[in-house]
Amino acid sequence: MKIITTRPKPGFDDLAACFAAKRLFSKHEIVIEGNPESKVEKFIEEVAPHLFFYHRFEELELESISSLIVVGSVSESQLPASVKPFLERCNKILFDHLGTAVDGNWNKVISGHYGASITLLCDILRKKQIKITPEEATLYAVALYRKTVNFSLSTTTPDDLLTGAWLLSSGASLERVVKYQKFALTREQRRCFQKFMDNTRILSIKGVEVAISEAKLKVMPKEIFELVEKLWITIGADNLIVFIQVGKDVFVAGRTRYSEIDFSKIFSDSKLSAYPNFSLAFYANANFNAVKERIFNSLRKNILSFVQVQEVMSSPVRTVLSEMPVKEAAKIMENTGHSSLPVIGGGRLIGIVTLDNVRKAIKHGLKNSHIEEIMQTDLVTVKATAPVSEAARKMMENGSSSVLVLDKGILVGIVTKSDLMRGVLTKRSQELENLKLQTSRIVNLIETRLEPDIVTMLRFLGIVGNQVGMATYVVGGFVRDLLLGKKNYDIDIVVEGNARHFAQTFRRYFEVTCVEHKEFLTTSIFFKNGLRIDVATARTEYYEEPAVLPNVEVSTIKKDLYRRDFSINAMAIKLNQEEFGLLLDFFGCKRDLENGIIRTLYPLSFVEDPTRILRAIRFEQRFNFKIEERTLELLKKHVTQNYLERVTGQRLRYELEKIIEEPEPLKAIKRMDELGVLKHLFPYSVVDAEALLMLDRYFGRGRFPGPKPVYILAMILLRNAPVRKLDSIVKRYGFPKKFPDWIRKAVNISRALQNKHDDGEQLSFKTFFTIVRKSEPEVLCFVDASLDEKDSERFRIYLKNLEEKKPRITGTLLIEKFGLKEGKAIKRVLDKLQLAKLEGLPDDEEEDFVKKLIRRN
């Protein structure tokens, strides 16, 4: 066996170097001792388990090693115990990045003076012009950054930096590099940080808030960019400038949130390192106070004036007290025309009350209740000094029609859509248009397109909503399909209240079973006739990390709809008696439906849930729609950035199975291939004319009972994949362990049948019996898909006969009645008897047939 290895329990640098060595020695296998560092395993699982595959010595029974490649500055005593018995008899090569190895113990030593093992290996790959994938580049970059502590250790060499540049040019993801770094302030950095904090003040220059900090230090602190970033976050200012005097030199760091400050102009007379929103200026042999004065003058000259929130907000703000009766708030709203009022309690802002909630409270006899009992506490706020574009962004993100304005925690104003129109730098087009609610009554549509019992059920759900005082809506795909004139019995109900309480009230009138799902604020109602209704509390979702399942919070119907995957699924129909049949469209959804457009509601949609990539394709092909241009651009971007690799195989498999259930799944599969999705779902998959023909046959013909279609899809796509690469697919998607064997067997059988066909031989029952016999159902499906219509028809008859025309004579009977001895002879007789039965031998002629066989042999 030929092996690449490193020290036991390898870290990022060790294992990354192993994978780099694999590119130089492709016939070697990576084998390690013990488990790698936990973050390494997490990285591989998240990024590309199909690319980074290794074995463990504990899993192998080694009989010999002919070639051993060792990476890292490793002595023989540090090698895995499993290889030591073979050291004298194998060819040994060491890659030693520190140059400390003794040549005499190795057949060959490749060494140098580098800060990391991965630098040595990458230097060789680069010089040999061996191209690496973005996933490999990212792994190598993470290893390099961690080993050199972001190139800050004294052992870091120029070659390490060159390697870092090469990896970035090869597609390494800095986002992932940062994710797998660990930044903690040293004791000296903490002292510097405290000095900065103690000497910080806030200025307003031409209406722009700027925090100024300064310190005189003996030496420049390490990781100054990270230190300034931490200071900026802690202070919470929009803009930060830090003056640092070190001896006779002055450094000035600038950090900004918006684009009002152009540091390249402000620091133009310095030696400058400029990055987006972050710059570091250097003034050699400069007077500290003179530099500060120059910077302040440059700020006043170059800072961009912009319209601030405080210039367009409505002020003073009419408020109500938390202990005020609901009826008093109703009078204020009636007199002022306000549809919402901020609520003050204990001298501070604690919530907001809406006209809708006030009316509901009065209707239910709560006019004397305190406002705090019906107020909303999820507030959308913005600073008075922020640009109006920030207020518009927050409105969009939160599905709100207004934003409260705070100054040092004090409520000073409110910004509405009308106020925004006065902001000269505010985007006026689609974002503001989308804030506008479109409503229409579609009662007639409901009554003509839905079955009477479904209409009655919807009306009754609205009655229950009135009874418990909750706005009640049917949402999602049900509404979409109703407008399209398609049947859909998946009824999803959203209530602005407690879904469990709603469901329990509903249960009083019907014999149903209720199942609560607390983590998602939903309750499922099951009827005896099979009907299921899902009731959810109106909720919003937030994702702590991309591609993971979301956390859920109580919200309103607007926010509930805003969290949905696509605009065509983000409409609701109100069911309450007084507004039954009212269609709510907050985001131009009906327009998209009419124009045949698949559109996401916000740019991070595919980042937060990459399975929406598959859903976009499924809906596009199901309805013959088109993915909107910007949405398609985002989809392609996030596919190439490997966001699908971050999703669990279980969730991806579920979406694939939904695609396969479509009437024309092949259309979606072709589209996935066109957009580059399939190679991220199934690395090493091949979508050529043969694969498409096989899939067309499989989906078009009557399917065999038993096998899961997703297995057959994967088998066809991966029919040419290296068998050793299939283990990661099996693990990721939870496929049976026999999956690689199914592919190997199915491919071999199909090729054998094709060879017979190419030789001009008709595929007879005998041919099928000789080559196929009775294989696993998954193998049979694959084989059938490889056959043309005529051969497929005969193949299916063969399988039917094989199942129905079994010989009555068994092996036991051959021994007892015909005197045959146990062994191969019995199998030969039974095989020939089975073949004769397939070709029409009657039951009453079996004994004569067997006797003739025995006499002949």
Side-chain angles (χ1 to χ4, degrees), residues 261-277:
I261 299 181
D262 185 352
F263 284 119
S264 64
K265 291 182 178 179
I266 293 169
F267 299 157
S268 59
D269 59 344
S270 71
K271 186 176 181 181
L272 179 67
S273 296
Y275 303 86
N277 301 100

Side-chain angles (χ1 to χ4, degrees), residues 569-740:
N569 297 326
M571 289 175 282
I573 299 172
K574 198 163 188 180
L575 302 180
N576 299 81
Q577 291 164 289
E578 66 276 13
E579 295 179 287
F580 181 84
L582 183 67
L583 175 69
L584 277 69
D585 177 9
F586 293 94
F587 315 111
C589 310
K590 191 168 181 284
R591 181 180 64 245
D592 286 349
L593 194 66
E594 292 167 348
N595 293 332
I597 296 296
I598 305 295
R599 175 175 62 88
T600 57
L601 294 174
Y602 53 99
L604 293 178
S605 184
F606 293 128
V607 173
E608 294 181 340
D609 187 0
T611 63
R612 290 173 176 171
I613 292 170
L614 302 188
R615 256 176 278 158
I617 294 171
R618 173 158 60 93
F619 289 134
E620 180 192 52
Q621 298 307 310
R622 178 199 289 181
F623 300 121
N624 290 318
F625 283 6
K626 282 293 180 184
I627 300 175
E628 178 249 357
E629 185 177 349
R630 174 58 176 161
T631 299
L632 185 62
E633 178 184 331
L634 292 170
L635 184 152
K636 290 178 178 178
K637 173 185 174 183
H638 294 124
V639 167
T640 58
Q641 291 180 346
N642 299 323
Y643 277 90
L644 285 169
E645 279 78 353
R646 303 185 182 193
V647 185
T648 63
Q650 181 181 4
R651 294 185 66 208
L652 291 174
R653 175 172 166 174
Y654 174 81
E655 292 297 335
L656 282 171
E657 288 171 341
K658 297 291 284 184
I659 286 174
I660 292 171
E661 291 170 6
E662 292 289 321
E664 296 181 87
L666 190 56
K667 288 171 58 180
I669 292 168
K670 288 180 180 178
R671 183 65 161 152
M672 284 194 289
D673 180 54
E674 178 189 337
L675 296 175
V677 171
L678 283 180
K679 66 182 180 181
H680 288 267
L681 298 176
F682 298 110
Y684 309 104
S685 62
V686 176
V687 186
D688 53 13
E690 180 187 5
L692 293 175
L693 180 59
M694 291 180 68
L695 289 170
D696 185 51
R697 288 168 175 169
Y698 173 67
F699 292 127
R701 295 170 181 167
R703 299 180 192 174
F704 289 75
K708 296 182 183 298
V710 71
Y711 296 163
I712 314 305
L713 169 65
M715 288 172 68
I716 292 173
L717 296 178
L718 296 168
R719 67 195 188 285
N720 295 327
V723 175
R724 67 181 183 278
K725 301 296 185 180
L726 296 175
D727 289 339
S728 60
I729 298 291
V730 170
K731 181 179 178 182
R732 185 180 191 192
Y733 292 102
F735 286 173
K737 292 182 179 179
K738 294 182 179 180
F739 181 78

Side-chain angles (χ1 to χ4, degrees), residues 356-381:
D356 188 44
N357 286 340
V358 167
R359 286 174 174 170
K360 288 178 183 177
I362 292 174
K363 182 177 179 179
H364 292 284
L366 301 176
K367 63 180 181 180
N368 293 317
S369 298
H370 293 164
I371 286 295
E372 62 185 351
E373 297 177 33
I374 65 166
M375 70 181 183
Q376 297 171 204
T377 57
D378 47 338
L379 303 174
V380 183
T381 63

Side-chain angles (χ1 to χ4, degrees), residues 805-820:
K805 297 183 178 182
K806 297 182 183 297
R808 292 187 300 170
I809 294 178
T810 63
T812 302
L813 198 59
L814 289 176
I815 294 172
E816 295 175 355
K817 187 171 182 177
F818 294 91
L820 293 183

